[in-house]
């Protein structure tokens, strides 16, 4: 009995010790998942949260929150470490960083930025701007549309002179076979009337020579029933006196070189209506030139002046009714392509109109088939236009159509770079000042 009581006492002591041990270890009886609800707030959950933090640094984003799930997985003792493995799953989130590498793809936009480079091709389009025109930029000091008139008109209305880019003095060799234009040089001095304007001189020396020495009249100016005019006997007379005529050109070239100098620009519009010497048939020349002969003779005339005046610029005349082949198929239907092909066009900077009035409102120069743009393309030269004149340059009156900005802008696109009003209104300077700001930039600046 005593032994049994002793055993019973030992059992009671064991039960008491077990109860004490249960109180000392409450985690062992906590329901699983309580760490989940606390967001890893239990002691064992805290162990998982360390691993979860590692996951957060890997993902830098949503994947880190996935690591916190790993923290909740660590609710059972010992399993907490495996919960950290879930945090390692957060490293998959760092794979998302590779997605940010996709930003390099946006770098590809830089490649598309190359498209502006293609825009550079538009710059090449600037060649279209030249339109085949050959302007060397040595004629006028400013790149703009140019206005001019005859010197007598400008002298009578000096207020317009500051608006002028050029002026036309008396026609060359009109009364003399030797240089007699010292006044042009005087006008061009810094103290002269036209110190800032370019002289544009009509060189009609061959025609004037045979009118004086062979008694010929301008076309249509001979007495009734007579053929003693330039349209009938001009070609034969010029050919017979060519050496003397070349010497006239030499004299004027040397004279201008001596008084005007050889550096400032000066422009010569060569032999208006030169095409008239190729007229054939019963109403044409007695000895008509071929196109090739016309080209050879013109080359000699230009060469005679150029020898003394390296600074001189030359302009070839436009006859809008030229034929396509030695005066056949006329009316300018090929825009002078065949006619001009017989000339050394490298001698010329410009082509110019002369004689009758020109049309500022139309693509056609006059009523013929030739167009402004067509002849400019055929020659590769910019155009010096005028408003027309009568015999020997007599005035034909003002042409207000050439004062309209819309007309001027349209003709500029056709290759026209200037207009000479032979008899503008007295307030033309004010008109020019008023329209300059409405004019487009020229497509060529000779």
């Amino acid at each position: 009995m005593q032994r049994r009581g002793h055993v019973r006492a030992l059992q009671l002591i064991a039960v008491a010790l077990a109860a004490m041990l249960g109180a000392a270890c409450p985690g062992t009886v906590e329901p699983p998942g309580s760490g989940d609800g606390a967001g890893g707030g239990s002691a064992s959950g805290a162990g998982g949260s360390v691993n979860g933090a590692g996951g957060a640094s890997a993902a830098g984003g949503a994947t880190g929150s996935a690591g916190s799930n790993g923290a909740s997985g660590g609710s059972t003792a010992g399993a907490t470490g495996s919960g950290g493995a879930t945090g390692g799953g957060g490293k998959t989130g760092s794979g998302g960083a590779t997605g940010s590498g996709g930003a390099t793809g946006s770098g590809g936009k830089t490649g598309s930025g190359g498209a502006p480079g293609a825009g550079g091709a538009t710059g090449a389009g600037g060649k279209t701007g030249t339109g085949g025109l050959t302007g060397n930029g040595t004629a006028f000091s400013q790149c703009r549309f140019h206005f001019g008139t005859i010197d007598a008109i400008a002298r009578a209305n000096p207020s317009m002179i500051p608006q002028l880019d050029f002026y036309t003095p008396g026609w060359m060799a009109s009364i003399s076979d030797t240089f007699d234009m010292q006044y042009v040089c005087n006008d061009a001095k810094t103290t002269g009337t036209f110190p800032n304007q370019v002289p544009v001189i009509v060189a009609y020396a061959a025609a004037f020579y045979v009118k004086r020495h062979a008694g010929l009249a301008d076309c249509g100016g001979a007495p009734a029933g007579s053929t003693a005019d330039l349209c009938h006997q001009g070609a034969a007379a010029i050919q017979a006196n060519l050496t003397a005529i070349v010497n006239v050109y030499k004299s004027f070239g040397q004279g201008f070189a001596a008084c005007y100098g050889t550096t400032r620009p000066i422009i010569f519009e060569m032999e208006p209506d030169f095409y008239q010497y190729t007229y054939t048939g019963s109403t044409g020349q007695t000895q008509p030139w071929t196109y090739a002969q016309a080209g050879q003779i013109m080359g000699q005339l230009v060469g005679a002046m150029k020898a003394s005046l390296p600074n001189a610029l030359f302009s070839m005349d436009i006859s809008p009714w030229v034929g396509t082949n030695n005066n056949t198929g006329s009316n300018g239907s090929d825009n002078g392509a065949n006619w001009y092909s017989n000339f050394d066009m490298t001698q010329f900077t410009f082509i110019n109109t002369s004689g009758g009035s020109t049309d500022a409102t139309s693509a056609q120069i006059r009523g013929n088939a030739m167009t402004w743009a067509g002849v400019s393309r055929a020659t590769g030269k910019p155009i010096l236009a005028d408003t027309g004149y009568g015999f020997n340059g007599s005035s034909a009156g003002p042409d207000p159509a050439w004062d309209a900005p819309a007309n001027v802008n349209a003709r500029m696109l056709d290759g026209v770079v200037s207009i000479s009003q032979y008899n503008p209104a007295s307030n033309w300077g004010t008109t020019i000042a008023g329209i300059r700001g409405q004019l487009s930039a020229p497509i060529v600046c000779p």
Side-chain angles (χ1 to χ4, degrees), residues 128-152:
T128 305
T130 61
L133 304 180
T134 55
N136 56 16
T138 59
F140 299 104
S141 61
Q142 297 187 65
C143 183
R144 63 184 186 182
F145 189 78
H146 306 293
F147 295 90
T149 188
I150 61 175
D151 58 353

Side-chain angles (χ1 to χ4, degrees), residues 188-202:
K189 293 178 180 179
T190 55
T191 56
T193 305
F194 304 105
N196 301 309
Q197 287 73 32
V198 178
V200 176
I201 301 169
V202 179

Side-chain angles (χ1 to χ4, degrees), residues 299-327:
Q300 293 183 58
L301 304 184
V302 172
M305 293 198 80
K306 197 72 173 175
S308 301
L309 280 175
N311 54 314
L313 304 174
F314 296 88
S315 181
M316 181 67 192
D317 185 68
I318 299 171
S319 290
W321 51 87
V322 293
T324 56
N325 183 22
N326 284 326
N327 208 36

Side-chain angles (χ1 to χ4, degrees), residues 370-400:
M370 182 180 286
T371 64
W372 296 102
V375 70
S376 183
R377 284 194 300 265
T379 59
K381 308 296 177 182
I383 302 170
L384 305 176
D386 73 326
T387 57
Y389 49 79
F391 291 141
N392 297 333
S394 59
S395 174
D399 187 345

Side-chain angles (χ1 to χ4, degrees), residues 16 95 99 102 195 264-265 286 400 412:
R264 296 175 61 187
T286 57
M412 287 171 70

Side-chain angles (χ1 to χ4, degrees), residues 243-279:
T243 299
I245 292 169
V246 168
N247 286 334
V248 172
Y249 272 97
K250 286 181 179 178
S251 173
F252 278 84
Q254 293 164 357
F256 277 118
C259 74
Y260 186 81
T262 58
T263 57
R264 296 175 61 187
I266 185 171
I267 300 171
F268 294 92
E269 294 182 336
M270 297 297 291
E271 298 290 336
D273 204 9
F274 201 61
Y275 180 69
Q276 67 191 351
Y277 305 122
T278 68
Y279 292 166

